[in-house]
């Protein structure tokens, strides 16, 4: 059969493919024989040492999330509402830390202790601390950088990549800095408790987040939990319709304990599983944090703008005090009805990216103000959404009967409690709600527009670089808009109750790949995430990224964002070029030893890179340049004729497998699309060598002054500013 080669010039590259048949057709990643594209040999690339890959970044770019003009335009009532919702969000900081790494909270306390002035409220004089410590300026800055990066990720594991990082500064120098701090004895006691957690990189499997029985770390499960244990409990939860989104799971001598996050503690519930093991359901996980969150929700309720916000906060309060996910679902129904508020906020256990099972969610909360000028573009996009969605590459029977026009807003972030601030959001994630009521799409303007001084763009050709610099952020705005819109598309076929009621008619719904009636669907208690598990988040991100590429070729969409004529063509080109570059950069987040991806979005972008490479006709190639360089070449004249159709074909399969709950074929298809052949190891080494540190966002704080007014305090975009903002946040 036809060999499907990744077209990389100047490197010996092997992609899995079938061969020898004269009647074959182009498909993706067919398993079979191997063929190599040989080339003139280059100097052998020397990969970084094993330890160096875990060292904290040396020159992290810091960006400030500027929101002051938008905050200042709020009324006093709106400022109070924003303040208390921001406090509620940030009170979950320690939940995020423990959900990621249960042993890392002491590191957070150590950072606050060392750089605090001893009162617990303010920053120490950094210059005095550095001078008193006696360590070199390089060593002191290394500890500053590690500390700021910990705060930015809310862990010693990267929020983007799920891999551990360790300080560059020796432990002996850390002890000298501790000795110079305001409370050296307390800080040293903390350091001795967490020193091994800070510095240890053995066993190497534990340097990745993932399933415990694969040697990886997870804050959602005790380390003795196996995948089979998790599967057994999950099947029972689906049968009994217990939502796991705000839970953790631990092994006990008699079975398992499911811990539900709540401010109140209730009597535990005992269940018996299919194998006779006991499942004890307990309440009060993260109790102290949930109490503080609930209290701030109660305070915010005095400043709501309308009935929808009042009912939303009432449901939040019930959910966070009792642990009820049904109450949180109700909060989201009210949130969806609150269209275009001056202050937009959402809070709870939302995204499941860090759970290897993809059913348990990380705490997050954001508060933002509307950018009305930018929102006009997104409103126009939403107004025409039914027309755009009707062009997607699947039959009408695979789309929702009623396109619920989502609310789409451009926001300026005031506060975002998370391990990594995103550029866009599509929520809620409850499919039983979004399939009926739709969703809200959010573009975070001050995240997208944030610049990093001296930012470099490896793998972009010298000819493309000026255009890339000019249009990268602008094209990303279009990409985020169409990506988030994409999350709200596509039907999933579901059995709605135990009586067998379906949300579609099987005999009238023809499967596009088999040409037979659809014969598989989601059973009661099942969701896309619970079935597709570890790949679910990346799979869905890939689907949304493909939708962005397919829709953005439409001139009407480019017009909506203000790009006509040559500007529109340049935006489209840079969007495709940036996607190809992101797919190449994604190799940094693939661990070849564990054969594991560490970041859902990057796994998705790698899949799309392969689609673009294998579209053929010279559309995309990757060229070896010099000893250690790679350059992406794209024939922009073939975006609409070659690239977009290839992406559309791939997208159609993603949607069909998702809609029909075909977890076997869908998983096989996606894992093949995201497999990294061993022959790409040198390419990955070059990517890792060329990696650029990710920017970290420094956020402001709000306070109530002596006059009872809410005031905003901003911080410099630096490691010092990052640490100071955390200390003064007092969580």
């Amino acid at each position: 059969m036809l060999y499907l080669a990744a077209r990389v010039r100047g490197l010996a590259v092997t992609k899995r493919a079938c061969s020898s048949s004269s009647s074959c057709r182009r498909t993706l990643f067919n398993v079979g024989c191997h063929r190599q594209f040989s080339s003139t040999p280059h100097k052998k690339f020397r990969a970084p040492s094993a330890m160096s890959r875990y060292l904290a970044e040396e020159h992290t770019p810091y960006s400030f999330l500027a929101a002051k003009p938008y905050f200042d335009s709020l009324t006093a009532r709106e400022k109070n509402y924003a303040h208390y919702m921001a406090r509620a969000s940030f009170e979950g900081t320690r939940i995020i830390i423990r959900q990621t790494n249960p042993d890392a909270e002491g590191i957070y306390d150590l950072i606050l202790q060392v750089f605090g002035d001893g009162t617990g409220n303010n920053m120490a004089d950094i210059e005095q601390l550095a001078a008193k410590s006696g360590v070199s300026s390089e060593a002191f800055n290394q500890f500053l950088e590690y500390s700021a990066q910990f705060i930015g990720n809310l862990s010693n594991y990267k929020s983007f990549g799920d891999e551990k990082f360790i300080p560059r500064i020796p432990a002996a120098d850390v002890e000298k800095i501790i000795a110079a701090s305001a409370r050296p004895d307390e800080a040293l006691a903390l350091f001795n408790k967490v020193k091994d957690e800070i510095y240890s990189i053995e066993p190497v499997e534990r340097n990745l987040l993932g399933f415990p029985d694969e040697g990886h770390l997870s804050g959602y499960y005790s380390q003795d939990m196996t995948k089979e244990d998790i599967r057994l409990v999950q099947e029972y939860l689906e049968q009994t319709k217990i939502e796991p989104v705000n839970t953790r799971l631990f092994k006990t001598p008699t079975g398992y304990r499911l811990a539900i996050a709540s401010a109140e503690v209730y009597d535990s519930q005992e269940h018996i599983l299919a194998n006779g093991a006991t499942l004890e359901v307990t309440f009060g996980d993260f109790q102290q944090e949930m109490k503080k969150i609930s209290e701030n929700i109660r305070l915010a309720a005095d400043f709501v703008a309308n009935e929808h916000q009042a009912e939303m906060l009432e449901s939040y309060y019930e959910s966070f005090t009792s642990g009820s996910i049904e109450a949180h679902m109700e909060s989201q129904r009210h949130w969806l009805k609150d269209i275009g508020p001056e202050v937009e906020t959402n809070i709870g256990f939302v995204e499941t990216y860090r759970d290897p099972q993809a059913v348990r969610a990380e705490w997050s909360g954001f508060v933002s103000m509307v950018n009305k000028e930018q929102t006009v573009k997104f409103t126009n996009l939403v107004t025409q959404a039914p027309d755009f969605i009707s062009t997607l590459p699947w039959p009408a029977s695979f789309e929702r009967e009623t396109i619920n026009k989502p609310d789409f807003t451009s926001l300026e972030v005031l506060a975002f409690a998370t391990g990594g601030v995103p550029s866009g959001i599509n929520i809620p994630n409850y499919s039983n709600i979004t399939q009926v009521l739709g969703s809200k799409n959010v573009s975070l303007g001050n995240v997208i527009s944030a610049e990093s001084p001296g930012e470099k763009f490896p793998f972009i050709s010298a000819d493309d670089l000026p255009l890339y610099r000019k249009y990268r952020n602008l094209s990303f705005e279009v990409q985020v808009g169409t990506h988030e819109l994409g999350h709200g598309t596509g039907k999933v076929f579901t059995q709605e109750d135990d009586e067998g009621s379906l949300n579609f008619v099987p005999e009238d719904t023809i499967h596009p790949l088999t040409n037979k009636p659809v014969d598989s669907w989601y059973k009661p208690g099942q969701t896309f995430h619970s079935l597709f598990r570890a790949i679910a988040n990346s799979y869905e991100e890939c689907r949304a990224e493909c939708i962005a590429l397919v829709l953005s070729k439409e001139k009407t969409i480019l017009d909506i964002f203000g790009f006509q004529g040559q500007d529109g063509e340049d935006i489209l080109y840079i969007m495709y070029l940036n996607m190809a570059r992101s797919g190449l950069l994604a190799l940094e987040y693939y661990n070849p030893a564990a054969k594991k991806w560490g970041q859902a979005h990057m796994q998705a972008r790698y899949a799309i890179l392969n689609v673009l490479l294998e579209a053929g006709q010279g559309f995309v190639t990757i060229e070896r340049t010099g000893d250690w360089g790679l350059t992406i070449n794209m024939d922009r004249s073939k975006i609409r004729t070659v690239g977009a159709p290839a992406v559309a074909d791939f997208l159609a399969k993603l949607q069909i497998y998702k809609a029909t709950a075909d977890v076997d074929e869908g998983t096989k298809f996606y894992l093949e699309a995201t497999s990294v052949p061993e022959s790409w190891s040198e390419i990955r080494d070059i990517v890792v060598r060329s990696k650029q540190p990710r920017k970290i966002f420094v956020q402001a704080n709000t306070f109530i002054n002596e006059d009872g007014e809410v005031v905003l305090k901003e911080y410099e975009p630096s490691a010092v500013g990052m640490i100071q903002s955390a200390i003064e946040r007092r969580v």
Side-chain angles (χ1 to χ4, degrees):
M1 295 179 70
L2 181 67
Y3 175 71
L4 307 179
R7 303 183 63 82
V8 183
R9 298 203 302 269
L11 285 169
V13 175
T14 302
K15 291 295 285 185
R16 296 183 297 155
C18 294
S19 64
S20 75
S21 172
S22 60
S23 61
C24 65
R25 62 183 178 84
R26 182 175 298 274
T27 55
L28 289 177
F29 294 90
N30 289 317
V31 179
C33 301
H34 291 75
R35 175 180 170 189
Q36 288 201 342
F37 285 75
S38 299
S39 65
T40 304
H42 289 262
K43 188 186 297 183
K44 178 64 178 176
F45 177 78
R46 184 168 296 174
S49 69
M51 181 177 177
S52 66
R53 67 176 294 168
Y54 300 116
L55 293 174
E57 302 289 358
E58 284 189 283
H59 305 293
T60 301
Y62 294 90
S63 296
F64 179 68
L65 283 183
K68 191 175 189 303
Y70 299 93
F71 179 80
D72 288 346
S73 70
L74 298 178
T75 66
R77 184 181 186 88
E78 291 164 348
K79 288 178 179 178
N80 274 278
Y81 181 67
H83 168 72
Y84 286 115
M85 291 305 296
R87 290 303 306 172
S89 299
F90 283 129
E91 289 294 354
T93 295
R94 291 175 182 269
I95 297 177
I96 300 171
I97 294 172
R98 298 209 294 275
Q99 284 181 314
T100 307
N101 178 4
D103 298 323
E105 190 174 6
I107 304 175
Y108 179 67
D109 289 328
L110 175 68
I111 293 167
L112 300 184
Q113 187 79 266
V114 170
F115 292 107
D117 66 353
T119 67
N121 296 326
N122 300 303
M123 185 89 164
D125 186 312
I126 292 299
E127 292 184 1
Q128 288 184 9
L129 179 63
K132 186 178 177 182
S133 71
V135 303
S136 67
S137 60
E138 179 184 25
F140 191 82
N141 285 330
Q142 286 172 343
F143 191 52
L144 277 174
E145 284 292 339
Y146 173 79
S147 301
Q149 288 169 46
F150 183 101
I151 292 168
N153 291 278
L154 290 182
S155 183
N156 58 336
Y157 284 73
K158 296 175 183 178
S159 63
F160 203 87
D162 289 349
E163 187 173 63
K164 186 173 183 177
F165 60 95
I166 62 175
R168 293 175 177 269
I169 179 176
D173 281 348
V174 174
E175 291 178 354
K176 292 177 182 178
I177 297 172
I178 288 172
S181 66
R183 294 186 174 180
D185 293 341
E186 294 176 25
L188 183 60
L190 273 173
F191 182 62
N192 288 333
K193 288 181 181 179
V194 299
K195 187 191 314 187
D196 287 345
E197 178 56 44
I198 291 174
Y199 283 99
S200 175
I201 55 172
E202 297 289 344
V204 293
E205 293 81 6
R206 194 181 180 276
N207 297 329
L208 293 173
L209 299 181
F211 287 110
D213 63 350
E214 294 178 352
H216 306 316
L217 177 70
S218 176
Y220 295 103
Y221 307 101
S222 57
Q223 284 302 108
D224 52 359
M225 288 289 294
T226 66
K227 288 191 289 292
E228 179 58 27
D229 292 325
I230 297 168
R231 182 197 63 78
L232 177 70
V233 174
Q234 180 59 29
E235 288 181 352
Y236 180 81
L237 298 181
E238 290 174 7
Q239 293 166 10
T240 54
K241 298 181 175 60
I242 298 175
E243 290 285 347
V245 67
N246 62 341
T247 70
R248 294 190 293 171
L249 187 58
F250 306 95
K251 212 164 197 175
T252 68
T254 59
Y256 312 96
R257 181 170 70 88
L258 186 74
I260 296 176
S262 65
E264 299 294 335
V265 177
Y266 305 98
D267 292 340
S268 61
Q269 302 170 1
E270 189 172 294
H271 303 255
I272 304 300
L273 304 184
N275 66 349
T278 299
L279 175 65
E280 182 187 16
V281 179
T282 63
F283 298 85
D285 200 20
F286 305 123
Q287 183 183 22
Q288 294 307 309
E289 290 79 13
M290 298 305 293
K291 282 184 176 180
K292 294 174 183 177
I293 291 164
S294 300
E295 175 60 16
N296 279 283
I297 293 291
R298 188 186 64 77
L299 292 169
D302 291 336
F303 301 99
V304 297
N306 54 53
E307 182 181 349
H308 297 310
Q309 289 182 3
E311 292 177 338
M312 177 182 73
L313 264 59
E314 183 178 343
S315 296
Y316 277 146
Y317 187 82
E318 179 185 350
S319 176
F320 301 150
T321 54
S322 70
S324 167
I325 291 302
E326 288 75 15
H328 194 264
M329 289 180 180
E330 187 64 17
S331 75
Q332 299 306 280
R333 293 185 181 97
H334 295 303
W335 182 65
L336 289 170
K337 296 174 184 176
D338 186 25
I339 304 297
E342 294 295 324
V343 178
E344 184 65 279
T345 179
N346 199 283
I347 189 170
F349 295 90
V350 180
E351 302 290 357
T352 62
Y353 295 117
R354 313 298 286 279
D355 173 21
Q357 187 73 6
V359 295
R360 293 175 170 81
E362 186 173 82
W363 174 265
S364 68
F366 74 87
V367 178
S368 53
M369 289 77 64
V370 176
N371 182 326
K372 295 179 180 178
E373 181 179 349
Q374 286 292 97
T375 295
V376 170
K377 299 177 185 178
F378 296 116
T379 301
N380 290 335
L381 180 67
V382 166
T383 300
Q384 301 179 58
D387 295 333
F388 301 139
I389 291 171
S390 68
T391 68
L392 292 173
W394 49 77
S397 57
F398 278 67
E399 190 53 72
R400 303 172 190 185
E401 288 84 354
T402 302
I403 302 297
N404 296 293
K405 293 181 181 179
D407 184 27
F408 207 142
T409 311
S410 178
L411 302 177
E412 306 296 318
V413 175
L414 173 67
F416 209 134
T418 177
V421 180
S423 53
I425 313 166
N426 173 275
I427 47 179
N429 289 330
Y430 302 120
S431 60
N432 60 321
I433 294 176
T434 58
Q435 289 283 314
V436 177
L437 299 177
S439 58
K440 278 190 179 182
N441 297 280
V442 170
S443 173
L444 303 178
N446 55 347
V447 176
I448 294 174
S449 63
E451 297 285 352
S452 299
E455 190 170 3
K456 298 178 181 178
F457 305 104
F459 316 132
I460 298 297
S461 72
D463 290 341
D464 282 331
L465 191 56
L467 199 67
Y468 187 83
R469 288 184 182 276
K470 179 179 180 180
Y471 286 113
R472 186 178 70 106
N473 282 352
L474 295 172
S475 70
F476 192 55
E477 177 187 315
V478 180
Q479 180 183 329
V480 169
T482 47
H483 171 111
E484 298 304 339
L485 185 68
H487 277 308
T489 67
K491 183 168 184 170
V492 292
F493 301 128
T494 305
Q495 180 180 330
E496 298 176 324
D497 54 42
D498 294 330
E499 282 70 47
S501 174
L502 301 173
N503 71 342
F504 72 109
V505 180
E507 55 268 27
D508 295 340
T509 309
I510 302 303
H511 193 300
L513 301 181
T514 66
N515 290 319
K516 297 177 180 179
V518 167
D519 60 1
S520 60
W521 51 82
Y522 295 89
K523 306 303 187 293
Q526 292 180 339
T527 65
F528 169 67
H529 283 84
S530 71
L531 276 192
F532 282 70
R533 300 179 183 177
I535 69 165
N537 284 307
S538 180
Y539 189 109
E540 174 58 20
E541 293 303 332
C542 189
R543 198 181 73 92
E545 292 283 40
C546 288
I547 289 171
L549 293 177
V550 169
L551 290 183
S552 295
K553 71 181 188 302
E554 303 297 330
K555 293 184 182 298
T556 307
I557 285 182
L558 294 170
D559 286 346
I560 286 172
F561 284 90
F563 304 113
Q564 291 88 27
Q566 189 58 47
D567 277 347
E569 294 303 302
D570 289 342
I571 285 287
L572 181 64
Y573 174 53
I574 296 305
M575 182 186 296
Y576 270 75
L577 183 61
N578 192 49
M579 183 61 71
R581 177 175 180 263
S582 296
L584 190 58
L585 294 173
L587 290 169
E588 175 190 340
Y589 301 94
Y590 176 74
N591 187 299
K595 297 189 182 304
K596 182 179 188 300
W597 286 94
Q599 215 292 321
H601 295 78
M602 299 309 278
Q603 181 181 6
R605 290 162 186 164
Y606 172 78
I608 296 171
L609 169 64
N610 280 313
V611 172
L612 299 178
L613 287 168
E614 292 170 356
Q617 302 183 51
F619 175 53
V620 172
T621 60
I622 301 175
E623 181 180 4
R624 181 70 174 265
T625 51
D627 288 330
W628 321 124
L630 298 169
T631 299
I632 299 167
N633 298 306
M634 178 178 289
D635 185 344
R636 62 184 295 169
S637 70
K638 296 177 180 176
I639 290 176
R640 288 186 170 87
T641 58
V642 178
V647 174
D649 180 67
F650 183 72
L651 168 61
K653 294 181 176 69
L654 290 175
Q655 170 58 21
I656 291 163
Y657 293 136
K658 177 186 177 182
T660 58
D662 193 345
V663 64
D664 292 335
E665 287 301 315
T667 299
K668 177 184 175 183
F669 176 71
Y670 195 65
L671 291 181
E672 287 179 348
T674 58
S675 67
V676 181
E678 291 183 6
S679 56
W680 274 51
S681 62
E682 188 174 347
I683 300 174
R684 181 183 178 277
D685 287 342
I686 293 172
V687 170
V688 171
R689 185 180 188 271
S690 305
K691 74 174 185 176
Q692 304 294 305
R694 285 183 63 80
K695 65 170 68 82
I696 291 180
F697 295 101
V698 180
Q699 301 184 46
N701 285 317
T702 55
F703 303 95
I704 297 179
N705 65 17
E706 295 177 353
D707 298 324
E709 299 172 334
V710 178
V711 294
L712 183 74
K713 181 172 182 179
E714 298 180 327
Y715 303 88
E716 65 178 52
S718 68
V720 171
M722 190 74 186
I723 297 167
Q724 184 179 1
S725 69
I727 290 173
E728 295 185 2
R729 203 162 285 138
R730 302 165 194 170
V731 292

